[in-house]
Amino acid sequence: MLQPDFKLDFNTDEIYSVSDFLSLCHSSIENNIPTCWLRGEISNFSSPASGHWYFSLKDKQGQIRCAMFRLSQRNTKFIPENGMEVLLQAAPTLYQVRGDFQLIVRHIEPVGVGNLQAAFEQFKVKLRDEGLFDAQYKKSLPAVVNTIGVISSSNGAVIQDIIKVLNKRYPFAEILLFDCVVQGEGSAEKLAQAIYAADKSGRCDVLILARGGGSLEDLWAFNEELLARAIFATTTPIISAVGHETDTTIADFVADMRAPTPSAAAMLATPDRLELLTKLSKLHANLVQRTQQTLSHYQQQLNQLDLNLPSFNRQLNVFAQRLDELNTRLDYQVKITLNLHQGKLNTLFEQLKQHSPITSIKHKQQLNQLAKIQLNSHIKRTISQQQLNLSNLTQSLEKSIRHHLEQQQYKLARHSAGLHHLSPLNTLSRGYSISMREDNQVLDSVSQVKIGTLISTRLNDGKIYAKVEKIENN
Amino acid sequence: MAEKFDFNKGLSELEDIVKTMESGDLSLEDSLKRFEQGVILTRQCQTALSEAEQKISLLSAADGYQAQQPLDKES
């Protein structure tokens, strides 16, 4: 406690302003206290819009203000929470604006679990709460796989393992490798793009996201939220196979199925050739067995029928005999009935015959025949009568004609003799002649000719042809 | 190979045939016809299994996973 009379021994020149004093402290602290590691529990954590983190680090006896700027957070995968025990590397400083002593945190990591492990746990909780791991969203693997999309690096053993397994198990499946970096800065984003491309290609029946084993850091891309959401968004079933059996990533939780290794993923995606062969053999055996059963079934039926055949035959014989018997009886009956009817029929026929128009027709025909004969003889008679008449007439006609001819011939002879006396020809023989013109006009007058007229003169024994040279009238 | 045998189709056809035969009620002719088909399918499936050749293609990020090229298995 200060006494009023207590005399302070100080130089007024040495009075500091607040800010000067803070500056003094600031440099004193920064120069004297090195960057060091502290362990404590986080409280009053806040992260304003700037993205910087502010919190208190405390233990049971005390606490200290801490600030961790965004730049320093780059390598921090988890987000500090109140109550979290952390180990941090920090440099003490003085926040002169408020005069607060505080730590500028360069690095922070959870105590017990690693930084990444903590982040992993945090993401896991977050995405699980969002439902990204829910069984209801898990797509089942297709029964038939023709094309498998593998999202992995073309380098390294992973793809070779997958190829080897598939070649052995199920060579039908075409493999499409969506080549992608699987670790390092930006790999999560690239993987997400590759998954998107594989899904959207629509060619793959199933996708395998694969990476070989590695440290948590190596595998970190598979824990990133971006990739988890890309996996969740696929419409193609996707199998995650990251790292070794003990490595589990967020991707494993989101994927439709998790395989402990890439080879295992290839096995999950496809049926086994050997299993298929076994299945084929089984099917074939069933086929053969069923066919044999069917055959023996029909054989049995056949045998049964064969067995039944003798008694059936006996039965048949009885029927046949009976039939014969009935047949004979029927035959007899028929014959009797037939005979009876035949007799009646004959009687009727005879009766019918008597009344038959044929009889009267025959009679009429006979009459007709008779009439015909009579007519014929009458006609013949008449004809020969007429022929006789005709012949008589002809004879008398001939006779009369001959007679007449003879008379005429006689007459003619007579006239001819007379005519002979009168013929000029007789005159000619006595020295007379007849002259004619060329037109046979007998000349009886000189006027009938002119000088130069050609004339012919008939004598008794020939003809003279002459030309008129002179005409004299008497 | 336009007439490539589809293993999965063949297998499911074979399964159908065996199922039908197991249900019975087939005439002798039908049974024998199916048996013959089944035997042929079995042989075809077995051949396909032993002769199937793996096809592997690589798609790369460089062109946005557009073009594909064959991948050498031994690389």
Side-chain angles (χ1 to χ4, degrees), chain A residues 143-419:
Chain A
V144 175
V145 172
N146 291 316
T147 306
I148 300 173
V150 178
I151 298 110
S152 191
S153 167
S154 58
N155 301 315
V158 169
I159 185 64
Q160 296 303 332
D161 286 350
I162 290 175
I163 288 169
K164 222 176 286 169
V165 167
L166 289 179
N167 192 34
K168 213 164 87 185
R169 273 177 76 84
Y170 196 70
F172 303 111
E174 182 181 356
I175 302 170
L176 295 182
L177 173 61
F178 292 79
D179 189 21
C180 189
V181 294
V182 290
Q183 79 179 74
E185 195 67 31
S187 55
E189 198 181 346
K190 284 169 188 159
L191 282 166
Q193 283 165 359
I195 289 171
Y196 181 81
D199 189 35
K200 286 291 169 281
S201 75
R203 296 177 56 195
C204 306
D205 300 305
V206 65
L207 300 178
I208 296 176
L209 176 64
R211 194 210 182 282
S215 68
L216 190 54
E217 284 78 11
D218 289 343
L219 301 181
W220 190 252
F222 295 87
N223 288 322
E224 291 204 38
E225 190 170 345
L226 180 74
L227 186 60
R229 297 203 183 276
I231 293 169
F232 188 72
T234 59
T235 52
T236 316
I238 181 164
I239 303 172
S240 148
V242 181
H244 294 304
E245 206 159 350
T246 48
D247 301 321
T248 305
T249 62
I250 297 290
D252 291 330
F253 289 109
V254 187
D256 297 305
M257 192 171 271
R258 190 222 162 185
T261 62
S263 304
M267 289 189 202
L268 277 176
T270 55
D272 184 17
R273 194 208 302 250
L274 281 177
E275 277 170 30
L276 288 172
L277 279 171
T278 313
K279 190 174 177 181
L280 269 177
S281 311
K282 246 182 224 168
L283 282 171
H284 187 249
N286 275 2
L287 192 67
V288 171
Q289 191 194 356
R290 279 314 305 188
T291 309
Q292 279 170 349
Q293 275 174 9
T294 309
L295 279 177
S296 61
H297 170 72
Y298 282 107
Q299 185 66 53
Q300 251 171 25
Q301 274 191 352
L302 217 57
N303 291 344
Q304 197 61 41
L305 285 172
D306 212 26
L307 280 175
N308 289 342
L309 218 52
S311 72
F312 189 68
N313 264 345
R314 267 202 307 280
Q315 190 72 21
L316 212 62
N317 289 339
V318 173
F319 278 127
Q321 199 178 356
R322 180 96 187 279
L323 202 63
D324 282 344
E325 201 179 288
L326 287 171
N327 219 347
T328 315
R329 276 164 60 186
L330 193 66
D331 224 28
Y332 179 67
Q333 278 301 321
V334 167
K335 266 181 199 152
I336 288 176
T337 313
L338 216 58
N339 286 341
L340 196 69
H341 286 296
Q342 189 68 50
K344 265 188 197 165
L345 208 59
N346 286 344
T347 315
L348 282 172
F349 187 63
E350 284 306 316
Q351 285 174 349
L352 194 64
K353 247 167 52 180
Q354 285 171 5
H355 293 97
S356 166
I358 291 172
T359 319
S360 70
I361 285 172
K362 270 188 180 157
H363 181 64
K364 292 235 168 87
Q365 273 178 340
Q366 279 168 0
L367 285 181
N368 275 348
Q369 196 66 26
L370 208 63
K372 209 163 114 184
I373 291 165
Q374 284 176 349
L375 190 63
N376 264 349
S377 68
H378 179 73
I379 287 171
K380 273 181 190 157
R381 250 195 337 266
T382 309
I383 287 175
S384 37
Q385 187 71 47
Q386 292 301 337
Q387 277 175 335
L388 193 66
N389 284 349
L390 194 61
S391 147
N392 287 342
L393 277 173
T394 309
Q395 278 175 9
S396 54
L397 187 65
E398 276 177 356
K399 212 166 146 187
S400 97
I401 284 175
R402 211 180 297 135
H403 179 69
H404 184 69
L405 268 175
E406 280 165 1
Q407 268 186 344
Q408 292 300 330
Q409 274 172 344
Y410 176 71
K411 261 186 196 171
L412 188 63
R414 234 174 358 124
H415 285 314
S416 168
L419 200 58

Side-chain angles (χ1 to χ4, degrees), chain A residues 144 160 163 166-167 170-172 174-175 177 179 194 197 203 273 279-280 286-287 290-291 294-295 298, chain B residues 7-8 15 21-22 26-28 31 35 38-39 45 49 52 54-59 65 68 73 75:
Chain A
V144 175
Q160 296 303 332
I163 288 169
L166 289 179
N167 192 34
Y170 196 70
F172 303 111
E174 182 181 356
I175 302 170
L177 173 61
D179 189 21
R203 296 177 56 195
R273 194 208 302 250
K279 190 174 177 181
L280 269 177
N286 275 2
L287 192 67
R290 279 314 305 188
T291 309
T294 309
L295 279 177
Y298 282 107
Chain B
F7 174 80
N8 285 301
E15 281 174 322
M21 289 192 70
E22 278 170 348
L26 279 182
S27 72
L28 188 62
S31 289
F35 174 71
V39 170
C45 283
L49 267 181
Q54 205 173 25
K55 198 177 155 199
I56 308 161
S57 303
L58 176 83
L59 294 90
Y65 299 107
Q68 69 178 62
K73 276 192 237 179
S75 70

Side-chain angles (χ1 to χ4, degrees), chain A residues 127-134 137-138 228-229 232 253-254:
Chain A
L127 297 179
R128 184 192 63 210
D129 291 349
E130 271 189 49
L132 261 67
F133 305 162
D134 283 5
Y137 297 123
K138 302 287 186 205
R229 297 203 183 276
F232 188 72
F253 289 109
V254 187

